[in-house]
Amino acid sequence: MFSSNGLATTQPLFSFGLIADVQYADIPDGRSFLGVPRYYRHSILVLQRAVNEWNTHQKHMFVINLGDIVDGFCPKDQSLGTVQKVVDEFEMFRGGPVYHMIGNHCLYNLPRSKLLPLLKIQTLDGRAYYDFSPVPEYRFVVLDGYDISAIGWPQDHPKTLEAMKILREKNPNENKNSPDNLEGPERRFVMFNGGLGKEQMEWLDGVLLDATKLKQKVIVCCHLPLDPGAANMDTLLWNYDEVMNLMHRYNCVKACLAGHDHIGGYSIDSHGIHHRVFEAALECPPGTNAFGYIDVYDDRISLIGTDRMESTDMHFSPPS
């Protein structure tokens, strides 16, 4: 499915660890709505092994968590303590910062006002998008895929009202979490997904313009996948097409990293951008893993995965 990982002939500029969809909860194992086994208590052991592995390498500058660190079935009187417990496990990483992004399961447990401080996402007005540059040659852009969302904001918040309007218009089902009777990419209009608002789109445009001026390569991170070629249609960002069109106006975006679709996936879009959706830690049977690290070079990024997370080489297209 994915290209095999070749041996690098040069040293990477830097490397970082990553994991997706831990979705820990102190509850018995269960299954997804599609019947896929989920190992709620084991997932934190996967995270512990990941942190130990990242620390052993002693070369990773940071870690990226692609969202959903706790599960929606976590008893709500335990939500705060459970989020803190998983965050504490991430904090055992000794190499540098951990960059979190929010997912739908995070928002099932806590409102943004309580969640963002725990994840050390320091932005204004509940926004959860930001960027950082670990070296001058690269910039990472973390998107807030639930900026426009029916979950996480107060019920009377303008962003909640906008989300509900979209769902009423796009999804005819009484249960707005159901994609029944929706076809193709239209299946994305379900309540467990969300979209980027106008202000975030303008911010992203500005960041990409600035990165272009600085001749930086950009890696975009979002809990929700952005390319239909890399994920199931019912897991996509609501306005993935708008975001992709914006990114395609620039040549700086080289890769998009996502979670949410637990089976994982990989594609290269029409403009040569790599899209890698990562396999979920939650769905690792006991004793198996799904985490990895990425070595970053000038002309490619190379994912070295463990067990269920397949290694992937992503070579950048030459500038047009």
Side-chain angles (χ1 to χ4, degrees):
M1 183 178 179
F2 304 125
S3 62
S4 60
N5 181 57
L7 292 175
T9 56
T10 57
Q11 290 296 312
L13 297 173
F14 64 95
S15 67
F16 62 95
L18 57 85
I19 195 168
D21 297 274
V22 175
Q23 288 183 224
Y24 168 73
D26 187 13
I27 58 176
D29 294 342
R31 292 181 180 271
S32 71
F33 293 112
L34 298 176
V36 179
R38 292 184 164 181
Y39 305 95
Y40 297 108
R41 291 184 174 125
H42 177 254
S43 66
I44 200 167
L45 302 180
V46 177
L47 174 59
Q48 289 169 350
R49 291 193 290 266
V51 172
N52 183 63
E53 184 75 13
W54 297 329
N55 284 336
T56 299
H57 274 267
Q58 296 184 340
K59 69 172 187 176
H60 304 314
M61 290 184 68
F62 55 89
V63 162
I64 288 180
N65 161 41
L66 283 149
D68 278 358
I69 61 173
V70 292
D71 193 83
F73 284 131
C74 176
K76 297 304 169 279
D77 61 342
Q78 299 176 21
S79 290
L80 190 63
T82 301
V83 171
Q84 186 64 64
K85 179 176 181 176
V86 182
V87 168
D88 288 346
E89 293 294 341
F90 274 105
E91 292 297 314
M92 297 300 288
F93 173 63
R94 297 193 296 268
V98 177
Y99 295 103
H100 294 279
M101 61 202 75
I102 58 174
N104 52 309
H105 283 266
C106 305
L107 296 171
Y108 296 150
N109 279 273
L110 293 174
R112 286 170 176 261
S113 58
K114 293 184 178 179
L115 180 65
L116 298 190
L118 288 172
L119 300 180
K120 297 183 178 177
I121 299 176
Q122 298 175 341
T123 59
L124 298 174
D125 303 324
R127 298 195 300 261
Y129 53 89
Y130 58 95
D131 66 308
F132 64 96
S133 182
V135 297
E137 299 92 335
Y138 273 87
R139 186 180 299 202
F140 285 71
V141 175
V142 176
L143 299 180
D144 180 356
Y146 293 90
D147 184 14
I148 305 300
S149 171
I151 52 176
W153 300 104
Q155 286 191 336
D156 59 350
H157 195 283
K159 296 194 176 190
T160 306
L161 300 177
E162 182 178 350
M164 292 308 299
K165 182 174 183 290
I166 291 169
L167 288 171
R168 283 193 299 271
E169 292 174 353
K170 298 290 188 178
N171 188 327
N173 298 304
E174 183 176 348
N175 175 12
K176 300 303 181 186
N177 269 321
S178 171
D180 289 350
N181 305 310
L182 299 174
E183 298 292 334
E186 295 300 299
R187 292 176 63 83
R188 71 191 187 274
F189 291 110
V190 286
M191 193 178 287
F192 55 77
N193 296 333
L196 272 61
K198 181 175 182 290
E199 185 178 296
Q200 185 176 180
M201 290 291 291
E202 292 172 349
W203 170 84
L204 176 60
D205 191 12
V207 170
L208 297 182
L209 177 61
D210 189 52
T212 299
K213 290 177 180 177
L214 294 173
K215 295 181 168 56
Q216 292 176 318
K217 297 177 180 68
V218 173
I219 296 177
V220 173
C221 304
C222 183
H223 180 66
L224 295 165
L226 302 178
D227 185 35
N232 287 309
M233 299 298 180
D234 57 5
T235 64
L236 294 169
L237 185 80
W238 284 349
N239 56 339
Y240 78 87
D241 46 351
E242 293 179 45
V243 176
M244 294 273 276
N245 287 337
L246 175 57
M247 293 193 305
H248 290 165
R249 284 170 40 198
Y250 299 90
N251 290 319
C252 58
V253 179
K254 302 302 179 184
C256 296
L257 311 180
H260 195 50
D261 190 0
H262 292 184
I263 195 172
Y266 174 60
S267 67
I268 304 175
D269 71 25
S270 60
H271 284 61
I273 298 174
H274 296 264
H275 295 262
R276 184 64 167 90
V277 180
F278 294 100
E279 295 81 356
L282 171 66
E283 293 178 2
C284 292
T288 64
N289 296 307
F291 61 84
Y293 65 89
I294 287 182
D295 285 333
V296 179
Y297 300 86
D298 184 63
D299 63 345
R300 68 192 186 280
I301 60 175
S302 293
L303 167 68
I304 295 86
T306 59
D307 294 352
R308 296 184 68 255
M309 185 175 287
E310 297 191 43
S311 297
T312 316
D313 269 349
M314 294 168 262
H315 290 260
F316 305 152
S317 301
S320 57

